[in-house]
Amino acid sequence: MGLEELISKMKREGTLRSREIEEALRRVKREWFVPERYKKEAYADYPLHIGEGQTISQPTTVVRMTELLNPGKGMKILEIGAGSGWQAGLLGHIVGRKGMVVTVERIRSLAEMARKNLERAGIRNVRIVEGDGSIGYSDEAPYDRIICTAAAPEIPEEWVEQLKEGGRIVAPVGRDIQRMVVGEKKKGGFEIIHEEGWYRFVPLIGKRGFPR
Ligand code: SAH
């Protein structure tokens, strides 16, 4: 399957809806973010190993989460779990010059790989931070959007604190299999506005994550 075929499939299935995400998929090519030996499988709709026991998520999952996140031009977005850097790159393209993405990765070799991949893709508004994103990243807070690409036991209070009012969080929640949870910070507090699933992510490790 090639990129255009994958895009058609995701549109047909109703996963890919927004014009901005479609453009980002064409511009920030998944083939630049998968290991060399998987180049031929870059547009197959399944996750691929990226080393250190981690994976680049399935395209359908990445697109669905991006649709749920509803990112826009000029926004500041926090991602937890940089991995290959692909999700962050797509978001970087969508938020544009006036926006920025901060992505946190706990495994050094992956943070370095993400940096290299994003550089090769010509994405300049993504900052990669090495560390424990389970407590967010307060240095750049507050954020318009927070997206987590590892399975969390629950939504950590630090993420909610670091979110702007009116902001949104998308994260897979659960141990072995996960529900995709969408929540918004409102005047009255944090509110879950949508849940769907099931998904299977690698675990969030760290202070607010699962014990290793
Ligand atoms: N968004 C990635 C998918 C990465 S898989 C992509 O587009 O390729 C999830 C990643 O979360 C893994 O790389 C894992 O190392 C990382 N991770 C797990 N717990 C973390 C934590 N507490 N802080 C930062 N990264 C974490």
Side-chain angles (χ1 to χ4, degrees):
M1 184 149 52
L3 173 59
E4 291 308 319
E5 259 177 290
L6 175 64
I7 287 175
S8 303
K9 171 187 168 312
M10 291 192 294
K11 281 171 129 174
R12 197 169 57 237
E13 291 171 350
T15 311
L16 177 57
R17 297 171 194 178
S18 106
R19 176 90 219 147
E20 291 74 21
I21 300 176
E22 184 177 339
E23 273 167 20
L25 287 167
R26 289 213 174 82
R27 166 64 186 80
V28 186
K29 297 197 188 305
R30 192 173 189 248
E31 62 190 77
W32 300 333
F33 294 83
V34 306
E36 196 58 44
R37 66 183 182 285
Y38 293 131
K39 286 280 185 260
K40 288 205 179 73
E41 291 168 83
Y43 301 108
D45 198 10
Y46 44 72
L48 293 166
H49 293 286
I50 55 172
E52 309 283 349
Q54 309 301 322
T55 52
I56 175 171
S57 304
Q58 176 178 354
T60 286
T61 301
V62 171
V63 166
R64 181 62 188 150
M65 288 179 79
T66 310
E67 294 278 2
L68 290 171
L69 193 68
N70 192 24
K73 276 221 177 320
M75 284 184 181
K76 190 173 200 180
I77 301 183
L78 174 67
E79 180 193 34
I80 295 94
S84 68
W86 187 46
Q87 172 78 75
L90 293 169
L91 293 172
H93 183 265
I94 292 166
V95 299
R97 280 176 208 289
K98 292 186 175 150
M100 85 170 280
V101 177
V102 179
T103 182
V104 188
E105 174 55 56
R106 59 178 282 272
I107 301 174
R108 172 165 299 173
S109 62
L110 295 181
E112 279 163 8
M113 182 178 74
R115 195 166 288 128
K116 204 187 72 213
N117 290 345
L118 287 161
E119 205 166 289
R120 187 167 46 176
I123 302 287
R124 296 203 179 81
N125 58 349
V126 176
R127 177 170 167 208
I128 299 142
V129 175
E130 197 188 312
D132 178 12
S134 76
I135 53 165
Y137 186 67
S138 58
D139 291 18
E140 294 276 5
Y143 303 98
D144 298 286
R145 299 284 188 267
I146 297 177
I147 178 172
C148 177
T149 61
E154 59 183 7
I155 307 266
E157 60 185 43
E158 287 87 350
W159 298 357
V160 176
E161 281 162 17
Q162 293 168 27
L163 190 65
K164 288 182 194 170
E165 201 176 292
R168 184 179 279 203
I169 296 177
V170 175
V173 174
R175 180 181 293 270
D176 299 316
I177 55 168
Q178 298 85 40
R179 296 283 281 163
M180 192 61 68
V181 173
V182 183
E184 274 182 5
K185 188 168 173 176
K186 309 203 165 147
K187 279 237 162 58
F190 187 69
E191 202 181 291
I192 304 299
I193 58 162
H194 178 80
E195 255 187 61
E196 64 181 35
W198 302 89
Y199 292 84
R200 202 176 286 272
F201 279 80
V202 296
L204 181 75
I205 308 291
K207 190 166 175 221
R208 301 281 184 227
F210 289 106
R212 352 184 17 175

